[in-house]
Amino acid sequence: MLKNTCNICSRGCNLNKGSFCGKYKLNNDGEIESTTKDILVSGISVDPIEKKPLYNYKPGTNTLSLGSTNCNFECIHCQNHEIAQPDTSISLTKITIEEIITACKNNNCESIAWTYNEPTLLLPQAIETAKQAQIHDLKTIFVTNGYQTISSIDKMKGYVDAVNIDIKSMSNKFYKNICKARLKPVLQATEEFVKSDIHTEITNLLIPGYNDKPKNIRKLAQFIHSLSKDIPLHLTRFYPNYKLLDAPITPIETLNQAYDICKEEGLKYVYLGNIKSDKINTYCPNCNSLVIYRQDGIKLFYDKKENICLNCGYKINIK
């Protein structure tokens, strides 16, 4: 990698000219560092962990969600564009690691989720927070677009416990035109997360006419299966947003077809998102017994100590 090139994400910005995300710079010694050492957040809230979405990690628990501003993508359908691609300056709140940990304790949160915008933009702060959080038995979660470099993932090992990666399409053309990014680094990062034994779940937002063809969905399922058929996949319903207003809401039929394709390809844990459906529940891959019910609150129907199905004794991939 060239000197002065940012190695935090796969965009590889020349920091002499500034960073795409605006969050990294070169210091006087020519080293990469954050533009601020503070933790500046645009929002913080207590959420069910299922909202991230993480369905097979600490089900039924609360997580403290927080994030900042900006992104290393420019998705034209961004759901959080007000903070990820702000048109004007946004008021940010400074928060300390001690205040984050106290908020977790006061709100019965078992984890800290870096979300809302791309968490890699706050990588040093998130890792330092995770180090302190471990002392209090708090886990760390990244809800990410998966554009980290292997170097950044190496820094996350031992500190980040779970990730949800948004694989937006299996088409590089989609990434180039819709996100101003590339597909290959996302797939490489996903593989590295799985190899690193960081609990990994994947989300795919199905946009009619853009990435919802059965061929694309099958390719995604096959890629996930090549890593592990135990990886949970969330197929999510699209609603028009930001600059992508001409695409319709994803039909239920498309979601159900995608679900069937992914099950045909051997994925054990496939879920539908942004809709009411029994396909948000977790079922035993062996006997199809209900394991986690999510349609009206969270109800757990498995041996939580051993993570096994109560009906057949099958080991469920839940952490």
Side-chain angles (χ1 to χ4, degrees):
M1 183 169 288
L2 297 175
K3 186 179 179 181
N4 305 329
T5 299
C6 184
N7 64 356
I8 302 297
C9 90
S10 293
R11 192 166 286 280
C13 296
N14 180 344
L15 293 181
N16 283 330
K17 300 179 180 180
S19 62
F20 182 91
C21 68
K23 298 295 185 179
Y24 292 99
K25 66 178 182 179
L26 292 175
N27 63 21
N28 292 333
D29 295 323
E31 298 171 336
I32 301 169
E33 67 176 17
S34 295
T35 53
T36 176
K37 297 186 183 301
D38 295 327
I39 302 173
L40 302 174
V41 298
S42 59
I44 183 167
S45 66
V46 176
D47 293 317
I49 200 167
E50 288 79 11
K51 193 175 178 181
K52 297 304 96 189
L54 288 171
Y55 278 12
N56 288 43
Y57 187 79
K58 289 190 165 291
T61 65
N62 288 334
T63 188
L64 187 73
S65 299
L66 69 165
S68 185
T69 58
N70 297 14
C71 190
N72 51 358
F73 279 17
E74 284 188 336
C75 301
I76 64 173
H77 59 295
C78 181
Q79 304 296 298
N80 290 324
H81 61 90
E82 295 92 348
I83 60 172
Q85 301 182 50
D87 292 328
T88 58
S89 61
I90 294 175
S91 177
L92 298 174
T93 301
K94 180 179 177 180
I95 188 169
T96 66
I97 294 175
E98 292 74 18
E99 288 171 330
I100 292 172
I101 291 171
T102 298
C104 286
K105 292 181 176 180
N106 290 344
N107 291 281
N108 195 31
C109 295
E110 296 188 16
S111 58
I112 300 164
W114 298 88
T115 180
Y116 303 143
N117 74 316
E118 173 52 44
T120 311
L121 277 57
L122 282 175
L123 186 62
Q125 294 92 332
I127 290 176
E128 188 57 39
T129 302
K131 291 178 182 178
Q132 299 302 314
Q134 287 181 343
I135 298 172
H136 302 272
D137 197 28
L138 295 169
K139 305 300 183 182
T140 295
I141 295 163
F142 270 31
V143 181
T144 176
N145 58 28
Y147 222 48
Q148 298 89 351
T149 60
I150 301 302
S151 172
S152 288
I153 296 174
D154 284 341
K155 295 175 184 176
M156 295 165 63
K157 293 175 183 176
Y159 301 112
V160 175
D161 301 282
V163 296
N164 184 295
I165 304 169
D166 185 2
I167 299 182
K168 301 176 185 293
S169 173
M170 291 300 287
S171 164
N172 189 62
K173 183 178 179 181
F174 179 99
Y175 268 88
K176 180 180 178 181
N177 294 339
I178 306 300
C179 310
K180 301 298 186 289
R182 295 178 293 125
L183 170 63
K184 185 176 179 180
V186 177
L187 302 184
Q188 291 173 331
T190 302
E191 183 175 0
E192 188 66 23
F193 277 122
V194 174
K195 289 196 307 184
S196 302
D197 200 32
I198 295 172
H199 178 81
T200 302
E201 303 196 17
I202 292 169
T203 293
N204 179 225
L205 180 71
L206 292 174
I207 307 174
Y210 285 83
N211 67 350
D212 63 335
K213 291 183 179 179
K215 181 180 179 181
N216 183 73
I217 295 162
R218 193 173 299 278
K219 191 174 181 181
L220 173 62
Q222 290 171 345
F223 167 72
I224 296 171
H225 190 281
S226 73
L227 303 179
S228 172
K229 56 189 175 183
D230 285 322
I231 296 172
L233 170 62
H234 304 262
L235 300 165
T236 307
R237 193 178 201 186
F238 167 82
Y239 291 88
N241 196 40
Y242 193 33
K243 298 177 181 178
L244 188 55
L245 301 175
D246 60 344
I249 298 171
T250 316
I252 298 296
E253 295 78 8
T254 299
L255 290 162
N256 285 327
Q257 181 187 40
Y259 178 95
D260 291 342
I261 289 171
C262 294
K263 296 295 283 186
E264 288 171 7
E265 291 297 331
L267 299 187
K268 293 183 179 180
Y269 305 98
V270 183
Y271 303 106
L272 298 186
N274 286 347
I275 66 168
K276 292 183 178 181
S277 168
D278 60 357
K279 294 184 176 73
I280 65 173
N281 298 328
T282 300
Y283 297 92
C284 174
N286 185 56
C287 71
N288 206 40
S289 295
L290 182 63
V291 173
I292 304 176
Y293 175 85
R294 299 187 180 87
Q295 290 167 268
D296 182 21
I298 305 295
K299 299 176 183 178
L300 309 180
F301 299 99
Y302 65 97
D303 184 323
K304 292 180 283 296
K305 184 177 180 181
E306 300 295 333
N307 288 344
I308 59 174
C309 172
L310 294 175
N311 182 58
C312 71
Y314 183 85
K315 183 77 172 180
I316 308 295
N317 180 32
I318 295 176
K319 294 184 179 179

